[in-house]
Amino acid sequence: MPENPTDLPPFARSWAQLYAIVVGSLTAEIIVFYLLMRWLS
């Protein structure tokens, strides 16, 4: 059964919202790893 390319996960209402979630989570992860690096160095 082929996937429809317009299908979105249940937590995102649009592609723009999905992209914002991805970029926000990557930014948060970078900040957390930066702070860990500073703390552990």
Side-chain angles (χ1 to χ4, degrees), residues 16-33:
Q17 186 180 21
L18 181 63
Y19 290 143
I21 291 169
V22 169
V23 170
S25 64
L26 287 174
T27 303
E29 189 173 347
I30 289 169
I31 291 169
V32 165
F33 284 137

Side-chain angles (χ1 to χ4, degrees), residues 3-41:
E3 293 276 332
N4 188 354
T6 60
D7 287 342
L8 291 168
F11 53 83
R13 295 187 188 117
S14 68
W15 283 108
Q17 186 180 21
L18 181 63
Y19 290 143
I21 291 169
V22 169
V23 170
S25 64
L26 287 174
T27 303
E29 189 173 347
I30 289 169
I31 291 169
V32 165
F33 284 137
Y34 175 76
L35 293 174
L36 278 172
M37 180 188 71
R38 298 283 299 194
W39 182 53
L40 295 174
S41 66

